[in-house]
Amino acid sequence: MVAQATATADASGEMILVRADDDTATVSVPAAGVLTTDDETISGEAIRLEPVGQPEVLATAGSTAGTFTGYGYRILPKDLTFHPPATLKIIISAGDWKAEGGDNLSVRKYNTTSGWVKIPVRVDASNRSVEAAVTQSGMYALFENTTIDAAGDSPSALTKSPQKSWTALIGLCGAVLLAIIFRLRRP
């Protein structure tokens, strides 16, 4: 999947907009910005934005990543630096926005040394979008923060699995009920 760059994102022609094939994410790059790799300076039209699937995100997700929402992207080419920063914008479907809680979302960049690193975001509830300033190419994903994650500890789950949650809750209720029954039967 290769994204297409258009020459402008606004009427002034000051931005280059790169859109992912799935139409849910964009990267806005200042047209006058300097884009460098380790070896050269490149033009904004060379940027690509590719969706990344759940298996790839989860293969890299450590215990501190939070809950992956299904929105993941790779900004290419590799080893690209944005001066000034580019803006990654992810537009979330109405159903996902409601399920994820909107304000409880974070964008994380994958770092081979430290795993998924949270970066500051701006949440726009009226447009169901999350924006993050990015200074490098690489893999980015949208995560739902967990209560434990917010405190800095490991979350209990990496993917949403309502089926597993309900099964665990029913199992716990059954165990409590059995304990109560056995206690009541004791003389």
Side-chain angles (χ1 to χ4, degrees):
M1 297 181 190
V2 178
Q4 300 297 317
T6 57
T8 61
D10 59 16
S12 67
E14 295 178 0
M15 300 294 282
I16 296 171
L17 180 69
V18 180
R19 185 178 306 279
D21 284 345
D22 66 3
D23 264 350
T24 60
T26 60
V27 173
S28 300
V29 182
V34 179
L35 311 173
T36 58
T37 64
D38 289 341
D39 302 323
E40 62 185 324
T41 299
I42 64 169
S43 72
E45 286 82 8
I47 299 170
R48 298 185 319 276
L49 182 61
E50 299 178 353
V52 176
Q54 183 169 338
E56 189 171 358
V57 171
L58 293 182
T60 60
S63 62
T64 60
T67 304
F68 177 57
T69 63
Y71 295 87
Y73 300 90
R74 180 175 282 112
I75 301 173
L76 297 167
K78 186 178 177 185
D79 299 323
L80 182 65
T81 302
F82 301 105
H83 297 287
T87 301
L88 173 64
K89 180 177 183 178
I90 302 172
I91 300 169
I92 301 152
S93 72
D96 286 349
W97 184 265
K98 186 175 180 181
E100 308 299 344
D103 291 336
N104 197 31
L105 299 172
S106 65
V107 172
R108 295 172 188 252
K109 181 186 188 308
Y110 183 68
N111 178 303
T112 56
T113 306
S114 50
W116 288 97
V117 178
K118 190 185 294 189
I119 59 177
V121 297
R122 184 178 74 79
V123 177
D124 181 354
S126 64
N127 291 313
R128 297 185 324 272
S129 66
V130 177
E131 293 183 7
V134 297
T135 57
Q136 299 173 320
S137 58
M139 188 164 38
Y140 293 84
L142 187 66
F143 287 87
E144 179 181 7
N145 298 319
T146 61
T147 303
I148 297 172
D149 178 51
D153 296 326
S154 300
S156 59
L158 291 175
T159 59
K160 286 197 166 265
S161 179
Q163 183 68 30
K164 288 181 183 177
S165 297
W166 280 109
T167 303
L169 181 60
I170 291 169
L172 179 62
C173 290
V176 169
L177 185 60
L178 284 173
I180 292 171
I181 291 171
F182 283 123
R183 253 200 146 154
L184 291 175
R185 288 189 175 193
R186 283 189 170 175

